[in-house]
Amino acid sequence: MNEKKNYFEKPRIYREQLLTLDDLNDFKRQMLFEIKNLLKEHVGEPSKKYLKSKDVRKLLNISPGTLQNLRVNGTLPFKRIGGVIYHDSADIQRMLETKNPSRQSA
């Protein structure tokens, strides 16, 4: 009962605990596949909750005047904070879907 642990002894490794290069390659392929699927799901979705006007113009491919008209006639809601205008990315996404119904997911 008075066993002393030898801290320099290596723990015993069993065959089923070993990793081979094939195991690592399989893991790499699985990780890449999952990352690609995650990226595909989020393509076209803005990563920010609120977008500035220049980002909205790029996304919708519209001029500054057209964006102003959308704000004035109430088509596109916005918030003004300290002189900077922000648009909710969910509103932009809805506008894209109504502009291009073929882009809507089933």
Side-chain angles (χ1 to χ4, degrees):
M1 282 199 206
N2 195 2
E3 295 178 17
K4 288 185 179 180
K5 286 188 175 181
N6 186 350
Y7 291 101
F8 298 106
E9 281 184 24
K10 292 183 179 180
R12 188 171 181 107
I13 298 175
Y14 298 98
R15 178 173 285 175
E16 60 271 359
Q17 293 175 310
L18 292 176
L19 284 174
T20 65
L21 286 176
D22 287 338
D23 294 332
L24 291 174
N25 281 326
D26 287 342
F27 178 72
K28 177 179 77 171
R29 278 193 283 282
Q30 289 173 357
M31 288 296 294
L32 287 173
F33 178 76
E34 289 181 30
I35 289 170
K36 285 179 185 177
N37 283 340
L38 286 172
L39 288 174
K40 282 180 187 176
E41 290 176 11
H42 296 288
V43 169
E45 290 183 18
S47 58
K48 301 180 206 172
K49 172 79 172 131
Y50 292 99
L51 302 171
K52 290 184 177 180
S53 293
K54 70 175 186 170
D55 299 324
V56 173
R57 289 194 325 262
K58 272 188 204 174
L59 202 57
L60 296 176
N61 195 24
I62 58 175
S63 69
T66 303
L67 182 57
Q68 178 63 26
N69 286 336
L70 292 173
R71 286 194 294 255
V72 168
N73 67 23
T75 305
L76 189 59
F78 66 95
K79 302 271 187 224
R80 185 183 301 267
I81 302 172
V84 179
I85 296 174
Y86 293 96
H87 301 272
D88 191 337
S89 60
D91 294 332
I92 305 301
Q93 191 65 34
R94 277 192 292 277
M95 183 168 241
L96 282 170
E97 288 172 357
T98 57
K99 185 178 177 183
N100 279 333
S102 62
R103 290 183 64 157
Q104 292 179 353
S105 57

